[in-house]
Amino acid sequence: MESESESGAAADTPPLETLSFHGDEEIIEVVELDPGPPDPADDLAQEMEDVDFEEEEEEEGNEEGWVLEPQEGVVGSMEGPDDSEVTFALHSASVFCVSLDPKTNTLAVTGGEDDKAFVWRLSDGELLFECAGHKDSVTCAGFSHDSTLVATGDMSGLLKVWQVDTKEEVWSFEAGDLEWMEWHPRAPVLLAGTADGNTWMWKVPNGDCKTFQGPNCPATCGRVLPDGKRAVVGYEDGTIRIWDLKQGSPIHVLKGTEGHQGPLTCVATNQDGSLILTGSVDCQAKLVSATTGKVVGVFRPETVATQPSLGEGEESESNSVESLGFCSVMPLAAVGYLDGTLAIYDLATQTLRHQCQHQSGIVQLLWEAGTAVVYTCSLDGIVRLWDARTGRLLTDYRGHTAEILDFALSKDASLVVTTSGDHKAKVFCVQRPDR
């Protein structure tokens, strides 16, 4: 279906600026509405309706499907024990992405090189429905904040959204070649970055659209800040922009020495949105104040104690920041490098606290909520849990026969869901003696 741009929006459909984002206990206004007590019925008719964030009872998806028993993996170089509880094996090529539904953490959506995406149940691997219609590798997938919608995006820029309970497609749009996609944390609003430098924002499913024009190079990574009013986007030319989602204009632009000297690979924010961490192929991680737009710290790989030698002339080409994130309970940040180094930095002193070495490159890292435990997945097909206070390896989980390409962690940290080049997604039950 067509998505109207700002300039072509129907006269009775006000632009996205009028959207109000409701939190669970407070309302965060993107823009003040006209004063006075408007009639609620008129609001729905005259303005883009407010989004209600009160949780509704979610119907159990108990439709017909089948249980997928763990199967033999694709022949590879990482044969060994399988610690997983459930294996989802409907993909016929590498599985690039996974996301869990945030409301119940009972469903997963995965997308792969086979141009397919599936929504399935974590407890037994039962397929709920296929997100059909993609004609290129599905590289992005995720659930809306309330788990009622699921979005999938492929490399060509085709984005589709389904309603989870009815399994029906409710929206689609063709943008440029897709780099990243993310749901707004409080509203049915989808953001995506494309290779032409644009960042797109849509109200789903009515399709009201806004674009944020970046430099003439790919918008390689992005994240909506926790306040729901701003987004930070990184670009291939090393620049960083903090966008005002209401005004559609950049609040801060970091370039030159303030930006990176290579394409950005990842971006993260801390819990209250006051700090942003950016990573790049230049091997630097930059700590940025979201309020002032100023760089307040730089973490460089040379501050990491002995880096493994990668061969003459190889290091600059071979190493990069692949993933990063903030601890929610201590002033710590983790940076994962392609050379296998996990660096834990103390934000207060901006010093290296621990260095945890992997035998192969880190693909992604995630902090466990409410603890100082950081999870990593890597090219050797293993998930590892690290105590960031001590730098000690707590445990690891094995079962894939190829590299892990993405992973997700349930809110209570009881499940890790991984996707891999072995065409499988796996569910691991996390057991730790300290819990």
Side-chain angles (χ1 to χ4, degrees):
M1 63 184 281
E2 290 190 357
S3 175
E4 293 175 332
S5 66
E6 279 188 292
S7 60
D12 60 349
T13 306
L16 194 58
E17 285 94 324
T18 60
L19 179 64
S20 301
F21 301 138
H22 293 228
D24 290 332
E25 299 180 355
E26 61 179 356
I27 298 176
I28 299 174
E29 293 288 346
V30 171
V31 61
E32 290 188 10
L33 299 177
D34 292 335
D39 184 87
D42 288 342
D43 276 354
L44 292 175
Q46 300 295 328
E47 312 229 347
M48 179 179 293
E49 64 271 18
D50 290 344
V51 184
D52 188 2
F53 292 94
E54 290 185 6
E55 292 190 355
E56 297 177 358
E57 293 244 320
E58 184 177 22
E59 294 181 6
E60 290 268 333
N62 200 22
E63 291 76 29
E64 287 187 4
W66 57 88
V67 176
L68 295 164
E69 297 295 336
Q71 299 178 11
E72 290 297 322
V74 175
V75 176
S77 59
M78 290 175 267
E79 303 294 342
D82 188 350
D83 302 320
S84 66
E85 299 294 322
V86 175
T87 298
F88 181 80
L90 277 189
H91 286 282
S92 58
S94 294
V95 191
F96 289 138
C97 55
V98 61
S99 180
L100 308 186
D101 85 278
K103 187 176 178 183
T104 68
N105 276 194
T106 60
L107 304 178
V109 57
T110 51
E113 192 180 14
D114 54 5
D115 308 348
K116 293 183 182 297
F118 300 103
V119 175
W120 50 279
R121 199 161 59 196
L122 293 177
S123 59
D124 55 9
E126 178 184 339
L127 176 70
L128 295 188
F129 62 95
E130 178 181 349
C131 303
H134 287 287
K135 296 188 176 5
D136 205 342
S137 298
V138 178
T139 53
C140 300
F143 291 89
S144 61
H145 73 284
D146 59 1
S147 300
T148 61
L149 301 171
V150 63
T152 55
D154 66 34
M155 288 182 68
S156 73
L158 177 61
L159 296 104
K160 290 176 172 287
V161 174
W162 281 262
Q163 190 163 318
V164 174
D165 57 356
T166 65
K167 308 176 185 177
E168 293 179 351
E169 183 180 324
V170 295
W171 179 85
S172 67
F173 189 91
E174 290 193 53
D177 291 353
L178 187 65
E179 296 282 337
W180 59 272
M181 181 191 79
E182 180 175 278
W183 283 100
H184 189 280
R186 293 184 179 84
V189 171
L190 189 65
L191 289 90
T194 50
D196 58 10
N198 281 328
T199 297
W200 299 75
M201 183 166 70
W202 301 274
K203 174 78 159 48
V204 178
N206 73 9
D208 191 19
C209 177
K210 175 177 286 190
T211 57
F212 307 86
Q213 181 63 55
N216 190 26
C217 67
T220 51
C221 55
R223 181 65 52 91
V224 181
L225 270 60
D227 65 7
K229 300 177 182 180
R230 299 167 293 166
V232 56
V233 180
Y235 298 88
E236 190 179 67
D237 64 358
T239 60
I240 305 157
R241 284 165 174 76
I242 300 174
W243 291 95
D244 183 316
L245 295 181
K246 171 204 155 203
Q247 300 291 346
S249 56
I251 307 169
H252 303 291
V253 179
L254 289 79
K255 56 186 178 181
T257 57
E258 289 285 285
H260 285 276
Q261 304 310 302
L264 272 85
T265 54
C266 48
V267 62
T269 68
N270 65 345
Q271 210 164 21
D272 65 8
S274 61
L275 292 172
I276 296 167
L277 199 56
T278 61
S280 167
V281 299
D282 67 5
C283 292
Q284 294 186 0
K286 295 204 170 189
L287 189 65
V288 178
S289 165
T291 304
T292 66
K294 299 296 183 184
V295 175
V296 295
V298 180
F299 303 116
R300 296 181 174 89
E302 48 263 33
T303 63
V304 175
T306 56
Q307 291 232 59
S309 61
L310 296 172
E312 189 172 350
E314 256 184 74
E315 184 166 354
S316 61
E317 291 84 9
S318 299
N319 202 14
S320 65
V321 176
E322 293 297 306
S323 187
L324 36 71
F326 292 90
C327 178
S328 63
V329 294
M330 295 178 69
L332 301 175
V335 180
Y337 296 90
L338 186 58
D339 73 354
T341 301
L342 170 66
I344 307 294
Y345 293 102
D346 188 309
L347 294 177
T349 60
Q350 296 192 14
T351 56
L352 179 69
R353 183 158 176 166
H354 298 293
Q355 177 188 337
C356 312
Q357 200 62 45
H358 298 63
Q359 293 185 344
S360 61
I362 295 171
V363 175
Q364 191 183 346
L365 65 84
L366 293 170
W367 285 93
E368 181 177 310
T371 74
V373 174
V374 63
Y375 293 59
T376 59
C377 66
S378 55
L379 295 174
D380 59 9
I382 301 173
V383 175
R384 294 175 174 85
L385 280 63
W386 304 87
D387 186 337
R389 298 166 300 181
T390 64
R392 184 172 67 90
L393 177 67
L394 296 174
T395 187
D396 61 39
Y397 294 93
R398 301 164 187 254
H400 284 293
T401 57
E403 69 278 8
I404 295 175
L405 299 173
D406 194 15
F407 78 138
L409 181 62
S410 63
K411 285 184 291 190
D412 64 359
S414 63
L415 299 175
V416 174
V417 187
T418 55
T419 64
S420 170
D422 64 9
H423 310 177
K424 305 289 194 294
K426 286 181 176 287
V427 181
F428 297 88
C429 291
V430 179
Q431 298 174 343
R432 292 222 318 272
D434 56 331
R435 280 205 303 232

